[in-house]
Amino acid sequence: MNKPAKQALEPLASRDLFPTPPSFAARARINRSTWAAQRLDDAARDPLAYWEAAADALEWRTRWHQVLEWSAPRSKWFLGGTLNATESCLDRHARSWRRTKAALIWEGEPGEVRTLTYGQLHDDVCRFAGVLRALGLVSGDRAAIYLPLVPEAVVAMLACARLGVIHGVVFGGFSAEALCSRINDASCKVVITADGGARKGQVVRLKDTVDQALANGACPSVTSVVVLRRTGHEVSMTPGRDRWWHELVRDAQPVREAVAVDAEHPLFILYTSGTTGKPKGVVHSTGGYLTGVARTMRWVFDLKDEDVFWCSADVGWVTGHSYVVYGPLANGATVFLYEGAPTYPGPDRFWEMIARHRISILYTAPTAIRTFMRLGDHHPQRHDLSSLRLLGSVGEPINPEAWRWYHQAVGGGRCPVVDTWWQTETGAIMASPLPGLTAQKPGSCTKPLPGVEMDVVRQDGSRCADDEQGFLVIKRPWPSMMRTVWGDDERFRQTYWVQVKDPATGAPWYFTGDGARRDQDGYLWVIGRVDDVVNVSGHRLGTAEVESALVSHLAVAEAAVVGRPDELKGQGIVAFVTLKDGRPPSEALVEELKRQVASEIGSFARPDDIRWANALPKTRSGKIMRRLLRELATTGRVTGDTTSLEDFGAIAALRPAED
Ligand code: 7RM
């Protein structure tokens, strides 16, 4: 990779430092006195001892006799150990004073609120596990979960786990085709769904989609469909196949004794998109995965028993698995869940709920933060957000503008912001501030967490110099790493374990697919996927860098930047820009934005083309669909798979007028 122009990158990397406020640090789980530099060195020297201590925080049936067996890319953690995830997440809390502590506080989009204590959640899970057992599911079987974000989604996941049944949650926004291919890939025997969910004041008819997915014997492995009544609208029930959740639980024999499984037993499969059209079924283990999420939950979010923790992700994404369900519950936390759209019925729904439920930790995505920023400061300002003490970000690089807005307008300047880098594949957060210890820089996920060895390297594996852009790799196995691609070990190896090797030993490193820089303080700046890098006249730059420059203009709400082939420069830059309310597009503004980029990064980064958009095309998890935009910028039209497109209207609006 080319060395980027130095002066262009320096300002981004070293602009601001936000040390944690002393009052926060003094009460933090991990701060200078609890976690001296010496102990960070210890974790680096002996990561296995570090992870072993983390695993000790779980409830095990039998203790492991060996921490790790590693023969790349195969890893086994906590060998000989047996456990059941629900004993760590439920049984031990239901036996303790937490029996009457709120585990889940749920708010439906229409406004109803339900609270489940640890005692109640435990009972519900035992009972629903009895339902699944009666339907013939045994340890190692797969069940698909296709539910709205309701407490029963958590119950269904944990009920599977209680039996050793491997769950595959499919986000409720996926189409019948996407659902069908996932059910078939994992040969699921049971599908757990609902009549529908509430979204933007409408009913999302989930059961209809399940019926479509299963029509004409398209999913031959499925013997039963369990249907939760959520919205109450009429749905068709296929006799012999479909049963109502509420009827089944009435007759169920609760599973009081959880099924102990091997530490390596798969806890779940979660599908994630790769570079090809076919999504990968990422397989996670039980013992290692839980170890990773339990530890990061506690340390990254500085979790305390009094917290009300809100991770706004759906359980259909890995963030929902790790930081709505397993991480918080393994720690006995109180989790807030919200079913609906973030700006329904009004632009301040988030802030209103934070104030009413006294939420203390908010974990959300940059795309949401930018949406709120666009709507204006007055919305968060109208609400009492004083309960918040920590803010988190995940999913994509957060541009410094949005970071500062989040910190100031939402956090009132008093809450540390943890920018957490991780992937479906890593299972748990890998790089992030420890909020009582690490000073934050807006736009940087700061440093790898203890026990994690990550670095920025060149194609040949040699270490990049400070500020030199390279590949983000993970050099050592970690407990919550994915174990394989379901049914495709070779794809697992090819996707992650052949690109970069240790030049000294030839040992493979885990390739994240992300490009990054390490600054002079050792802070990581993730630029984005490697395929999101453009090369203009021999200068490599991350689309995120250009986007950040554009978004720092007062008129800009959001920007997506892609490369398009250019005869002279190799690649030229096309920027798709949405403007803040009340800011009209104009030729003058086009020039102003180009100038802004040239002055923030360098004239080589000046966009060739600025195109206005009402909204940017995004996947359902909120990531900008750059492949689509690249195609649009290059050919003017869009082909290929758009099944995970959030807003088809956004595409139409971006097409050139003559198309
Ligand atoms: C948790 C999640 C993974 C990809 C990853 C990155 C990007 C995620 C950050 C980030 C910069 C972050 N899993 N990404 N978090 N980039 N800073 N804090 O999102 O599998 O859906 O996506 O997301 O490119 O490779 S994921």
Side-chain angles (χ1 to χ4, degrees):
M1 296 179 100
N2 292 327
K3 204 177 157 78
K6 254 226 152 146
Q7 69 276 36
L9 300 175
E10 217 98 46
L12 251 191
S14 56
R15 224 181 256 159
D16 299 322
L17 199 63
F18 286 76
T20 291
S23 57
F24 184 99
R27 289 188 212 106
R29 273 188 188 283
I30 309 297
N31 58 29
R32 243 164 255 296
S33 56
T34 62
W35 191 255
Q38 173 61 38
R39 296 184 56 197
L40 283 172
D41 290 346
D42 289 349
R45 224 184 347 263
D46 193 353
L48 294 190
Y50 171 83
W51 287 122
E52 207 164 10
D56 268 327
L58 303 177
E59 180 139 310
W60 295 81
R61 285 281 186 94
T62 4
R63 204 185 158 80
W64 58 92
H65 56 73
Q66 188 184 334
V67 187
L68 170 67
E69 185 185 283
W70 173 235
S71 166
R74 299 248 132 249
S75 73
K76 289 184 180 165
W77 285 84
F78 309 115
L79 286 86
T82 65
L83 75 167
N84 183 285
T86 64
E87 292 188 339
S88 287
C89 293
L90 298 173
D91 296 59
R92 59 173 167 172
H93 307 312
R95 279 196 307 266
S96 77
W97 66 268
R98 291 195 188 94
R99 176 161 196 87
T100 52
K101 176 181 174 172
L104 306 180
I105 302 172
W106 171 80
E107 182 159 323
E109 195 186 71
E112 63 273 59
V113 173
R114 278 170 62 195
T115 300
L116 271 81
T117 64
Y118 272 95
Q120 291 168 325
L121 183 60
H122 178 258
D123 282 350
D124 286 0
V125 168
C126 291
R127 198 164 281 280
F128 196 64
V131 168
L132 297 179
R133 179 174 272 173
L135 292 175
L137 289 179
V138 296
S139 183
D141 284 346
R142 278 81 57 203
I145 297 177
Y146 188 67
L147 282 169
L149 192 51
V150 290
E152 286 81 0
V154 180
V155 171
M157 290 164 77
L158 293 169
C160 288
R162 196 159 185 85
L163 298 175
V165 169
I166 304 164
H167 58 71
V169 183
V170 179
F171 173 57
F174 275 114
S175 65
E177 255 162 274
L179 175 62
C180 176
S181 74
R182 284 158 175 77
I183 290 171
N184 285 336
D185 189 76
S187 309
C188 297
K189 282 193 186 166
V190 170
V191 179
I192 304 163
T193 189
D195 48 0
R199 185 92 190 166
K200 296 183 189 161
Q202 309 282 313
V203 169
V204 181
R205 301 181 63 97
L206 296 170
K207 177 59 166 62
D208 291 2
T209 309
V210 170
D211 289 341
Q212 271 178 53
L214 302 186
N216 308 316
C219 299
S221 57
V222 175
T223 54
S224 310
V225 178
V226 181
V227 187
L228 175 76
R229 185 172 275 154
R230 157 71 186 118
T231 50
H233 69 273
E234 184 113 9
V235 295
S236 88
M237 298 289 279
T238 302
R241 186 194 73 180
D242 302 351
R243 333 261 164 111
W244 287 106
W245 176 302
H246 59 269
E247 287 175 8
L248 290 170
V249 292
R250 229 173 14 219
D251 313 324
Q253 271 303 317
V255 177
R256 293 279 158 214
E257 174 85 351
V259 176
V261 298
D262 189 272
E264 280 299 310
H265 184 78
L267 180 61
F268 64 85
I269 304 171
L270 185 60
Y271 288 84
T272 188
S273 356
T275 42
T276 72
K278 187 184 182 312
K280 300 180 285 257
V282 170
V283 177
H284 277 292
S285 70
T286 302
Y289 170 80
L290 271 185
T291 297
V293 299
R295 168 53 61 93
T296 50
M297 183 69 222
R298 211 169 167 83
W299 284 24
V300 170
F301 298 106
D302 187 46
L303 187 74
K304 312 273 173 55
D305 255 315
E306 349 23 303
D307 280 312
V308 181
F309 178 77
W310 183 19
C311 165
S312 70
D314 190 272
V315 289
W317 310 114
V318 73
T319 307
H321 284 62
S322 300
Y323 300 105
V324 173
V325 183
Y326 291 107
L329 299 183
N331 284 287
T334 295
V335 178
F336 177 71
L337 303 166
Y338 168 59
E339 176 189 37
T343 53
Y344 185 87
D348 61 347
R349 178 69 184 258
F350 255 50
W351 320 124
E352 189 271 318
M353 290 192 298
I354 288 170
R356 189 155 37 80
H357 295 286
R358 302 294 296 161
I359 285 157
S360 58
I361 306 174
L362 173 65
Y363 188 33
T364 192
T367 183
I369 297 166
R370 288 193 297 264
T371 301
F372 295 133
M373 187 169 79
R374 179 183 191 184
L375 292 166
D377 296 14
H378 53 291
H379 296 299
Q381 269 161 16
R382 278 201 349 207
H383 296 274
D384 174 12
L385 304 183
S386 62
S387 56
L388 286 173
R389 65 180 196 92
L390 182 69
L391 301 173
S393 170
V394 62
E396 53 175 321
I398 180 164
N399 49 300
E401 292 310 310
W403 193 102
R404 285 198 196 83
W405 185 84
Y406 195 31
H407 182 256
Q408 198 53 51
V410 179
R414 69 179 189 279
C415 307
V417 175
V418 290
D419 176 354
T420 62
W421 182 92
W422 59 296
Q423 307 176 301
T424 303
E425 293 88 337
T426 68
I429 297 167
M430 301 299 277
S432 158
L434 289 171
L437 197 64
T438 321
Q440 297 115 61
K441 298 183 187 185
S444 165
C445 61
T446 75
K447 298 186 180 194
L449 290 172
V452 174
E453 198 190 344
M454 263 163 86
D455 209 347
V456 182
V457 302
R458 305 188 184 101
Q459 184 99 63
D460 65 5
S462 59
R463 194 160 191 261
C464 285
D466 290 354
D467 289 335
E468 177 188 347
Q469 188 177 308
F471 300 112
L472 188 66
V473 296
I474 308 175
K475 295 184 168 179
R476 245 199 256 269
W478 65 100
S480 64
M481 66 200 292
M482 74 181 283
R483 296 305 195 257
T484 190
V485 171
W486 181 260
D488 200 345
D489 290 342
E490 184 50 23
R491 186 164 177 204
F492 173 57
R493 206 179 64 80
Q494 285 294 336
T495 310
Y496 306 102
W497 299 98
V498 299
Q499 289 81 0
V500 197
K501 292 184 176 62
D502 182 340
T505 64
W509 284 333
Y510 172 83
F511 175 58
T512 63
D514 277 6
R517 302 191 307 266
R518 185 188 352 84
D519 72 15
Q520 56 276 21
D521 301 325
Y523 278 46
L524 297 171
W525 298 77
V526 174
I527 294 141
R529 306 296 302 189
V530 190
D531 48 9
D532 290 342
V533 171
V534 285
N535 189 328
V536 182
S537 307
H539 300 285
R540 269 181 188 270
L541 65 153
T543 52
E545 286 174 274
V546 182
E547 286 162 11
S548 173
L550 287 165
V551 172
S552 69
H553 189 283
L554 279 175
V556 175
E558 205 166 14
V561 167
V562 295
R564 96 172 149 208
D566 182 283
E567 276 188 10
L568 269 181
K569 300 185 278 189
Q571 274 186 305
I573 293 175
V574 179
F576 296 88
V577 171
T578 64
L579 294 174
K580 287 189 184 144
D581 280 347
R583 298 290 193 139
S586 68
E587 266 313 299
L589 191 52
V590 168
E591 272 321 299
E592 231 178 275
L593 292 183
K594 289 182 178 177
R595 229 179 304 127
Q596 169 105 2
V597 175
S599 74
E600 287 244 341
I601 302 174
S603 50
F604 68 89
R606 172 189 287 270
D608 298 276
D609 211 345
I610 302 237
R611 291 166 72 161
W612 309 119
N614 294 331
L616 296 175
K618 290 187 186 148
T619 63
R620 297 191 187 272
S621 66
K623 291 187 207 304
I624 292 168
M625 299 184 81
R626 287 169 205 290
R627 182 185 57 75
L628 250 146
L629 291 175
R630 262 196 304 275
E631 235 179 285
L632 198 59
T634 308
T635 66
R637 63 173 52 85
V638 179
T639 54
D641 177 29
T642 56
T643 51
S644 56
L645 199 62
E646 171 71 63
D647 179 4
F648 286 97
I651 275 294
L654 289 165
R655 283 172 199 251
E658 67 276 10
D659 196 58

